[in-house]
Amino acid sequence: MTTLNPKYITFDCYGTLVYFEMAPTARRVFKDRISKADMDQFIADFSAYRLDEVLGDWKPYDQVVCNAVKRTCKRWNIEYRDNEGMIFYNAVPTWGPHPDVPEALARLATKFKLVGLTNAMNEQIPHNIEKLGAPFHAVYTAEEIQSYKPRLKGFEYMLDKLGCGPEDILHVSSSLRYDLMSAHDMGIKNKVFINRGHEPSTPFYEYHEVKDLAGLADLLGV
């Protein structure tokens, strides 16, 4: 890996670089309806419904989140309160980086062009990117692409816009299901899994695994 010199390092943003606070927000919003003993499973179900919501035709992310909240509440037979899903949507632009990200991302930016491929709306992601503190060559959103990961269209769009092939990028994510499985299917050989505990390792997909972004910078010798 230390000899690898990609033209671009491409990143998933939410969860990988930005601390994705859906779970803490759910704990706060639903603490009066879901017991502490059940909360982890409730959050897992909410996550599953968000994934299911992005697998079809594109729709705005507020609809994705609101639908996922409603479906989770229905599954748990609890009240969905008016506009509750918008609490989650409106919180997204306020989220900042994982503690390990700013220093390591600044190191990477001294040598590599950084690119974001994110399941975000255009109005959201600039606020999050600004908090990362490093320059990005480009950021491509689901709204711009009209498709969410894990569908392949986003990767196709990004490669077309960058004018490069799968061999020219190193894709980095903390999610196998949203990113690295799709990257594998796209023929992207150079992949890094930042294991933040969201998902188990799945070595079949042939990636380098690190525990944080500093580990990526170290692997690349920056």
Side-chain angles (χ1 to χ4, degrees):
M1 176 69 85
T2 54
T3 61
L4 185 65
N5 189 32
K7 291 182 180 178
Y8 305 97
I9 303 179
T10 61
F11 291 94
D12 168 62
C13 294
Y14 295 130
T16 301
L17 301 178
V18 176
Y19 178 41
F20 195 60
E21 298 187 52
M22 285 290 183
T25 304
R27 292 183 191 279
R28 184 176 70 254
V29 171
F30 293 102
K31 64 183 179 180
D32 64 333
R33 282 163 282 170
I34 300 294
S35 70
K36 289 184 178 180
D38 289 335
M39 187 62 79
D40 285 349
Q41 186 58 55
F42 181 86
I43 288 169
D45 292 344
F46 179 34
S47 176
Y49 281 123
R50 291 198 310 275
L51 175 62
D52 189 64
E53 284 288 328
V54 301
L55 294 177
D57 292 339
W58 184 86
K59 54 181 173 282
Y61 195 65
D62 60 325
Q63 294 181 27
V64 169
V65 176
C66 289
N67 289 349
V69 174
K70 290 175 183 177
R71 293 171 72 186
T72 310
C73 288
K74 181 180 179 182
R75 180 166 176 172
W76 282 79
N77 195 30
I78 63 172
E79 176 190 9
Y80 173 81
R81 296 170 184 166
D82 288 345
N83 294 319
E84 206 154 44
M86 292 304 293
I87 295 172
F88 295 86
Y89 180 81
N90 291 332
V92 171
T94 71
W95 297 342
H98 288 282
D100 58 279
V101 166
E103 188 273 338
L105 199 64
R107 286 165 58 190
L108 292 166
T110 64
K111 183 176 179 181
F112 299 101
K113 292 180 178 179
L114 312 181
V115 175
L117 179 62
T118 175
N119 278 0
M121 296 288 286
N122 296 339
E123 68 178 7
Q124 295 176 318
I125 193 64
H127 302 282
N128 304 111
I129 294 294
E130 182 181 9
K131 294 178 179 67
L132 300 179
F136 272 69
H137 173 76
V139 178
Y140 303 115
T141 70
E143 181 178 9
E144 176 182 351
I145 298 162
Q146 296 286 286
S147 178
Y148 291 103
K149 296 176 294 179
R151 300 189 69 180
L152 302 183
K153 185 177 178 180
F155 288 93
E156 294 172 319
Y157 184 94
M158 178 175 69
L159 292 174
D160 286 346
K161 285 290 187 180
L162 294 176
C164 69
E167 68 279 4
D168 295 318
I169 69 172
L170 170 65
H171 192 66
V172 182
S173 180
S174 62
S175 175
L176 273 294
R177 295 184 77 180
Y178 276 93
D179 279 84
L180 297 180
M181 292 180 182
S182 298
H184 175 87
D185 291 342
M186 285 292 299
I188 298 170
K189 302 296 185 183
N190 300 314
K191 301 180 289 295
V192 170
F193 175 46
I194 300 182
N195 191 344
R196 298 200 183 277
H198 310 318
E199 302 168 16
S201 299
T202 311
F204 172 82
Y205 292 99
E206 299 179 325
Y207 49 76
H208 296 266
E209 182 172 331
V210 296
K211 67 177 183 178
D212 55 28
L213 200 64
L216 172 62
D218 291 342
L219 282 171
L220 291 169
V222 179

